[in-house]
Amino acid sequence: MGLVFGKITVETPKHEVLHSCPDYEIRRYSPSVVAEVTYDPSQLRGDRDGGFMILAQYIGALGQPQNAKPEKIAMTAPVITKSPSQSEKIAMTAPVITTGDNKATTMQFVLPAKYKTVEEAPKPLDERVVIKAEGGRKYGVARFSGVATDKVVEERVEKLRRSLERDGYKVVGDFLLARYNPPWTLPPLRTNEVMLPIE
């Protein structure tokens, strides 16, 4: 029932809060290992989150894990999405990250922290799934609840960008959208974040 009511019970990315104010937090995220898939949403029934099922099969969230061991890998949160209209690819410690250009979208699951290197992660059976290492990163992060529609996200990102720049931070890439709850969580109880990479 915790999932319906927004309780987050899975592993979340390791990070240190460097600064906190009413408008945002500045966080430094630890290095991580991610599983990613790049796809054109139009080839997956127009679903911008279509890569989720491919990655969920890799970790074994939907039955037998589709990896060489086969080893079930714990799901983590949040799900991270990057709008297909954005061109610069940036990843973050999270189980799912989506980045993209005009057509191709890249979605990532950040693997549990026990996987310290690419070699320690189980090898995917699906050749579309790629395992890679991500270095530490620094983000300005603003949290909000409800449904993360494109319009809401765009407004939140612009507000965050203005706040960061007002306070002297340099934004160095495109935003990420972090969604911590599954789609069946009641909308007012959902936890979402917009994240902008900073120097």
Side-chain angles (χ1 to χ4, degrees):
M1 283 306 275
L3 292 174
V4 173
F5 294 109
K7 187 172 170 75
I8 300 162
T9 58
V10 297
E11 183 180 328
T12 58
K14 305 281 182 279
H15 68 272
E16 174 188 2
V17 176
L18 304 176
H19 174 73
S20 188
C21 68
D23 294 336
Y24 59 84
E25 284 185 347
I26 301 297
R27 299 179 190 166
R28 179 181 292 121
Y29 284 86
S30 301
S32 58
V33 175
V34 302
E36 76 174 27
V37 60
T38 300
Y39 56 97
D40 180 342
S42 68
Q43 295 173 336
L44 298 172
R45 298 183 305 279
D47 184 0
R48 74 173 181 178
D49 293 329
F52 185 90
M53 295 305 282
I54 297 166
L55 293 171
Q57 290 169 344
Y58 163 70
I59 68 169
L62 309 168
Q64 181 72 4
Q66 297 300 303
N67 61 62
K69 290 209 173 168
E71 178 181 325
K72 199 165 183 66
I73 301 168
M75 186 70 189
T76 58
V79 169
I80 305 278
T81 315
K82 191 173 193 185
S83 165
S85 64
Q86 297 167 315
S87 58
E88 187 179 347
K89 192 167 144 186
I90 297 172
M92 193 223 70
T93 311
V96 183
I97 299 173
T98 311
T99 62
D101 55 27
N102 290 331
K103 291 209 172 179
T105 295
T106 300
M107 179 176 280
Q108 298 176 329
F109 280 22
V110 171
L111 301 182
K114 73 175 190 171
Y115 301 105
K116 304 285 186 219
T117 66
V118 168
E119 294 71 31
E120 290 176 16
K123 185 173 171 24
L125 296 180
D126 187 328
E127 63 190 26
R128 295 174 294 182
V129 178
V130 176
I131 307 301
K132 62 188 255 189
E134 295 288 347
R137 293 149 317 275
K138 197 157 85 167
Y139 287 92
V141 181
R143 181 170 280 196
F144 64 101
S145 60
V147 178
T149 63
D150 289 345
K151 185 175 188 306
V152 167
V153 170
E154 188 178 318
E155 290 168 358
R156 298 284 178 167
V157 168
E158 278 317 303
K159 182 178 179 197
L160 174 59
R161 186 184 308 277
R162 284 194 306 271
S163 298
L164 291 169
E165 289 172 351
R166 172 197 71 205
D167 295 345
Y169 292 100
K170 184 177 179 190
V171 175
V172 294
D174 291 324
F175 78 90
L176 301 175
L177 167 64
R179 294 172 289 174
Y180 283 81
N181 311 103
W184 52 84
T185 298
L186 299 172
L189 303 177
R190 292 181 189 175
T191 299
N192 308 297
E193 292 173 340
V194 288
M195 309 174 67
L196 282 167
I198 57 173
E199 279 186 347

